[in-house]
Amino acid sequence: MTKVALIIGTVYGAAEYVGEQAQALLNELGYQTMLFTETKLDDVLRFNADIWLVISSTTGQGDIPDNLLPFYLDVQNRFPLLTGKQFAVIALGDSSYDTFCGAGEQLHALLLEIQGTELAPMLRIDAGETLEPETIALPWLQQQFANLGQ
């Protein structure tokens, strides 16, 4: 069974809610999942996921949320190669800011740097266009994950 680590960066809870909905959908599709909200790199590595799904909002001036920043810095410092593993990023942001989806952009770049294989182009969800990011994220996830084969 394919394992998916759902790595969540949230400020006000929207990304966490999307993560919870994503977990339910992926479980229905036959994936084994684990949701990480206070993410520690060692915990993610121990789960040994085939796919890292990062769902993150952006805070401040394009910054990574506080609950995910230690994980991000740990990955930068320890550089665990994701060779042979896939990843996807769902970035939540507000296009009225110059740093639209800045956290997602940083996370995406880091996952490429550690040699992960991109499952799909990053999904950017604009809070200026939708108040319910799950209505965009779930159909996208269905499309990306339904045909992977477990």
Side-chain angles (χ1 to χ4, degrees):
M1 181 178 289
T2 303
K3 296 167 85 173
V4 180
L6 292 103
I7 300 165
I8 309 300
T10 194
V11 178
Y12 298 112
E16 186 172 355
Y17 182 73
V18 172
E20 291 166 353
Q21 298 300 306
Q23 183 177 33
L25 173 66
L26 294 173
N27 288 342
E28 285 176 22
L29 292 173
Y31 292 90
Q32 181 181 350
T33 62
M34 186 168 290
L35 187 71
F36 297 94
T37 55
E38 293 298 327
T39 310
K40 307 251 183 307
L41 178 57
D42 287 334
D43 293 342
V44 174
L45 294 175
R46 196 172 306 112
F47 181 59
N48 195 27
D50 303 290
I51 302 168
W52 286 15
L53 174 58
V54 178
I55 303 170
S56 183
S57 57
T58 297
T59 187
Q61 295 298 311
D63 301 322
I64 295 169
D66 288 344
N67 75 305
L68 192 56
L69 186 58
F71 170 80
Y72 176 83
L73 296 172
D74 206 13
V75 171
Q76 269 189 326
N77 292 330
R78 292 173 50 191
F79 214 76
L81 294 180
L82 285 185
T83 308
K85 296 186 186 267
Q86 294 181 300
F87 74 90
V89 176
I90 298 175
L92 283 63
D94 185 333
S95 64
S96 67
Y97 290 89
D98 292 338
T99 55
F100 177 56
C101 293
E105 299 285 353
Q106 292 178 66
L107 291 155
H108 179 264
L110 181 60
L111 295 173
L112 284 173
E113 191 176 340
I114 62 173
Q115 300 180 9
T117 301
E118 191 173 29
L119 175 70
M122 182 170 65
L123 176 63
R124 294 166 183 83
I125 301 176
D126 187 355
E129 295 179 5
T130 182
L131 296 176
E132 298 175 338
E134 68 278 5
T135 62
I136 295 171
L138 294 178
W140 183 84
L141 286 166
Q142 176 77 37
Q143 180 181 19
Q144 304 310 322
F145 283 83
N147 299 320
L148 280 182
Q150 292 73 279

